[in-house]
Amino acid sequence: MALQCCYGGSTIQTLKLASIPSTAPLSSSAICSPFKTLTITPSAHLIKALSSPAAVVDSTTTHVVKPQWKAAIDFKSIVENKSAVAENLKNRNSTASLELVIELYERLLQLQKEVEDLRFERNTVANKMKGKVEPLERQRLIEEGKNLKEKLVTLEEDLIKLTDALQREAQCIPNMTHPDAPIGGEDSSTIRKTVGTPRDFTFSIKDHVQIGKELDLFDFDAAAEVSGSKFYYLKNEAVLLEMGLINWTLSEVMKRGFIPLTTPEIARSLVVEKCGFQPRGDNTQVYSIEGSDQCLIGTAEIPVGGIHMDSILADSSLPIKYVAFSHCFRTEAGAAGAATRTLDMATEDLGAPAYRKYDIEAWMPGLGRYGEISSASNCTDYQSRRLGIRYRPESSTSPPTNTKKSKGRNLSPPEFVHTLNATACAVPRMLVCLLENYQQEDGSVVIPEPLRPFMGGIELITPKSN
Amino acid sequence: MALQCCYGGSTIQTLKLASIPSTAPLSSSAICSPFKTLTITPSAHLIKALSSPAAVVDSTTTHVVKPQWKAAIDFKSIVENKSAVAENLKNRNSTASLELVIELYERLLQLQKEVEDLRFERNTVANKMKGKVEPLERQRLIEEGKNLKEKLVTLEEDLIKLTDALQREAQCIPNMTHPDAPIGGEDSSTIRKTVGTPRDFTFSIKDHVQIGKELDLFDFDAAAEVSGSKFYYLKNEAVLLEMGLINWTLSEVMKRGFIPLTTPEIARSLVVEKCGFQPRGDNTQVYSIEGSDQCLIGTAEIPVGGIHMDSILADSSLPIKYVAFSHCFRTEAGAAGAATRGLYRVHQFSKVEMFILCRPEESNAYHEELIGIEEELFSKLGLHFKTLDMATEDLGAPAYRKYDIEAWMPGLGRYGEISSASNCTDYQSRRLGIRYRPESSTSPPTNTKKSKGRNLSPPEFVHTLNATACAVPRMLVCLLENYQQEDGSVVIPEPLRPFMGGIELITPKSN
C-alpha cells in the first residue's frame, strides 16, 4: 500500500542555523597567505537555508528535528544528471528544491577544500616551529598558528551546518523513475494486466458490512466504544478466514523460496524515516508511542528493511527473500474469484522511495468499484542508501565466498543493494473481496478452494440459526 | 499473566479539591428551620482527602486525573461486611484505606439526606408562594427561597466532590477472596496438580536462545537495533511453530464451544482502567499512544471485556464464552533480572485468551472448566507442569481466585509461568457495567426486550473470568528446550504437526 513520504517543507516549519558570515573574507589581510582570498556571495535561497532558525520545531512535539541520520546520497550523480533529476521532480510533482541542493553541495565542496587547505597551512606552520627558529619568528609563527586554528574552528562548524542543511534538502529528493512508468496523475496509471471479469450477479447483492452483520462475522460498534472508529472485532468464520488467508499465503510464498518471518510491530522512528516514511509529519500515517522514540509499524517493510541496516552483505547471499507476517497500524488521518487488474502507477502516485510501482485492484461488487488490495514497489537504492545496506560484488576473478575471510582477495568496493516490497495479503481488503464476490443468494458465502484446507475443511459460511 | 493493578496512593500524587467549609453551620441562623443545625467535624484523614488539591497531576502527562468513570461499587455491602473486607485487605497487603472509604460513604449518605431535605424545604416554600400571600410574607418567602437555593448549590457541589473522592478511594479496594485461596506471599501458593516429570536428558542441554541460534529461529540483535531490547524476529520453523500453536489452540478451544475472535490491539485507556489495570501509573505495564487517550493492550482480556460494556444481557445468552487471538504489548517496566534473556520476557507477543461472562453462581465452576482446558492443552503438548493456587498477595486486584500454570523449562533450570486463569467475579463487570436479567422461575425464558412487563428481576452484575490458552513465546521456550535432541534438532509435538504442514522435526540447516 502506498504511504506518502517526503521530508520536505511541509513538515519542517522553521529552520534555524546560526548565521554564517557570508561576505567576510576567509583569510586575514594581515597575513600573506599563499591561497587566494575566497569571497563567496551565496545565492538568495542559500542564505535563507543557512540562516534560518537552528531549531526545527515540530508542531506536534518539542523535539529539535535536525537530521538524526545521514542518507548516503550520490550528490555527484545528481549534479551530473541534473536535467534528468529536474524532469523527474517535475513528473512526480515533488516539492524538493534541486537548485538549492546543488548550490549547497557545491558550497560544501568548496568549504571542504578550504578546510583542507587551512589544515595544510596549519601543519606547515607547526612543522616550521619544530626546527631552530629565531624568537621573533617563533612569535610570529605562534600567532599565525593561532589565527589559522580559529579560522579552522569556524569553518569546521560551518561545514557541519552545511552538511546538515544539504542532508535535509537532499533527503526530500524522491527516487528516480523507471523509463516505462506512465507520467502524470492517478488517471495516467495504465493497466498492465487484467484477470477475470466482474461476476454477473442474478440477485441483488450486499456489501461486506451487510454480509458480515447477517453472518455475525464482525463487530464495529463494540470496537468503536472500546477503541475508536475504524477498529473491529472479527468473529466466527471471519477468524478462520483470517487465519486461513495468512497460513495459505505464507505457505504459498515459502514454496517459492522466501524465508518466513514474524517481526516487531514497534520500531524506532529513525528506522521508519529511513524507509521513507514521516512519523512526525502533519497527517502522519504513523502512531507514536508516548514518552519514547518508538512508533507502531504501518507495514512489515519497516522492520524487515531494518534487519540488515548498516551491514555489508556477501554477494553470494543475494538475493535475500523474506515473507513477513505482522499486524500493521495506520492512523488513516486525512483519508477504501474475483476480477483484478494490475496497474502500472503513474509518477505522481509513486511514493518517494519507489522507482516503479504496480498496484493490484480487485473488483468489490458491494462497493461497485475496484479497490486496491496490494502494492509492489521497486525502491532500487533509495531505502538502502538510508538504511546503509551494501554488498560486495564478486569480481569475476575471485571465487565466490560467504565470509569475511575474503578481505585481501580481489574485492570490489561495497555497493548499495536494491530493495523491493510487495503485499502478499492484506487481510481486511481480502475479506471485503471474498465476502462480496463469493456471496450467494441465500446469504451464505462460498470459501475459495485453496483456503479450505487451512480452515478445517469448511466450504461455506452459512447464516447461524438463532 | 498477572498485571499489578491498583489506583491507590502511589499513582495519584497530589489531590486538590476546593476546601469544604467543614464547620460552618448548614442553616442560616436567621431563618427558623424545622431541621436541626448539623455541624459535622470530619475526621483527620477525611479532611485530608477532601481538602487536598483538586487537580491530580500525573507525572507523565499534564492531564487532570479525576475519576473519569464510576465503578458500581456496593458500598452497603462493604459497610455490612467491614471486618471481612478489612481482613481481605490485610491478606492481600493492600494499601486501600477502608476507614476512609466508610467515612466518606457515611458522610455521603448524610449529605444526600441534607440535600433531599433542603430540596423539600425549597419546594414547600415555592408552593406557599403559589397561593394568596401578603406582600410582606411574599418578600420573606422569596428571601428564604433564595437562601435555600444558595445552600443547595453549595451542598450539591460538595456532593459531587464527595462522590468523586469516594470513588477514587473505593476503586482501590481489591476484590474479595475465595475462602480456599492460600493466605500470604509467593511462597504460600499451593500446588493443585502436577502433570508429568522433568525429562531426563542423557546429554548436556542448551537453552532456547542457543537452540534458536543454531537452528536460525530468532533474531534478537537486529530487533534490538530496529526496535529496542526485548524485541525479536521469529524465522523459519519458529514462524511455523507460532502459527501452528495459534491455529491448534484456537481449534481445540472452539471445539469446546468458545466463539473465536480477533480483537483491536489499541484500546481507550478508560477501558484498560475498567478492567483493573493502570495505564498511567509509575512502572506501568501499558504503552500509551502519543496525542490520544489510547493504549496498546497487554492482553485480549481488555478488548474482550469491553465488548459488552454498559449492557444488559439476556439470561438465556449466558454463559458467553470467547476465545480471542491478539498480539499483546507490555513495557515490562520494573522487571529486571536474570530471566529476561531471550523469549521469556518480551515487549510484544501473540496470545490466545479465553474469556467467559456468566451468572454469579456459576463462576467457580467455570474457573474449574478453564483450568481444566489449560491443563489438557499443555498435557497434549507433552509438557511437564504444575498448577498453582495463588496466594492472596499475588492475586491482582480483580481476581477472586487465580490459578497459574508453571511449566518446566530445562534450559532455565526452573519452572516458568506459561498461563494464568482468574475468576474476577463482579470486579470487572461493576466497572465495565455488564449486567444481566436473571430469569425469575415463573416467567418463560426469553431473549428479547418484549419481556418488559413480565416477571423481570432487576439487573445484576455478571461474573467474568479469563484464562491464557496459549502465550506463544513461553510455549516456544518450553517446546524448544524440552524437545531438543542430542544432534541439535527439535521434535515437533504430534498435535501441532497437521498445523505445520506435517513437519516432524526442526533440523539444523546446511550452510
Side-chain angles (χ1 to χ4, degrees), chain A residues 15-132:
Chain A
L15 300 170
K16 184 176 186 126
L17 293 170
S19 54
I20 293 176
S22 51
T23 51
L26 289 164
S27 57
S28 155
S29 44
I31 295 168
C32 180
S33 153
F35 299 103
K36 222 165 86 169
T37 300
L38 296 165
T39 315
I40 319 287
T41 311
S43 69
H45 56 272
L46 182 63
I47 296 174
K48 179 169 183 253
L50 296 175
S51 52
S52 33
V56 175
V57 179
D58 183 333
S59 63
T60 59
T61 69
T62 51
H63 293 154
V64 172
V65 179
K66 162 186 147 86
Q68 301 281 331
W69 48 274
K70 291 193 177 32
I73 291 170
D74 192 346
F75 296 109
K76 201 150 165 289
S77 168
I78 289 175
V79 170
E80 283 167 6
N81 299 292
K82 184 179 166 174
S83 53
V85 175
E87 171 136 10
N88 188 45
L89 289 178
K90 187 164 135 289
N91 289 339
R92 286 170 173 259
N93 222 6
S94 167
T95 53
S97 172
L98 181 56
E99 289 301 328
L100 181 53
V101 169
I102 292 179
E103 259 198 77
L104 286 169
Y105 178 60
E106 290 177 341
R107 170 75 170 135
L108 183 79
L109 290 179
Q110 267 173 328
L111 198 53
Q112 280 172 337
K113 184 165 197 329
E114 287 171 34
V115 166
E116 262 184 62
D117 293 344
L118 264 183
R119 284 184 184 146
F120 182 82
E121 268 199 77
R122 199 176 162 215
N123 282 345
T124 310
V125 166
N127 284 336
K128 280 188 194 160
M129 288 205 283
K130 287 180 184 163
K132 275 211 174 96

Side-chain angles (χ1 to χ4, degrees), chain A residues 297-366:
Chain A
I297 63 170
T299 161
E301 182 188 338
I302 294 165
V304 178
I307 292 178
H308 299 292
M309 265 196 326
D310 303 318
S311 306
I312 300 179
L313 308 171
D315 184 275
S316 56
S317 66
L318 300 178
I320 302 177
K321 299 179 175 181
Y322 290 121
V323 56
F325 169 52
S326 77
H327 288 186
C328 300
F329 301 87
R330 297 189 185 180
T331 65
E332 295 299 347
T340 61
R341 56 188 195 192
T342 308
L343 302 175
D344 197 344
M345 301 306 285
T347 46
E348 286 174 33
D349 276 344
L350 303 172
Y355 175 74
R356 196 173 195 187
K357 188 158 83 90
Y358 300 140
D359 279 5
I360 295 184
E361 298 189 338
W363 180 248
M364 299 181 174

Side-chain angles (χ1 to χ4, degrees), chain A residues 224 226-227 233 265-266 268 303 327, chain B residues 224 227 233 265-266 303 327 348:
Chain A
V226 171
S227 312
Y233 297 81
E265 291 157 7
I266 290 179
R268 298 183 200 272
H327 288 186
Chain B
S227 312
Y233 296 82
E265 291 158 5
I266 289 178
H327 288 186
Q348 171 194 319

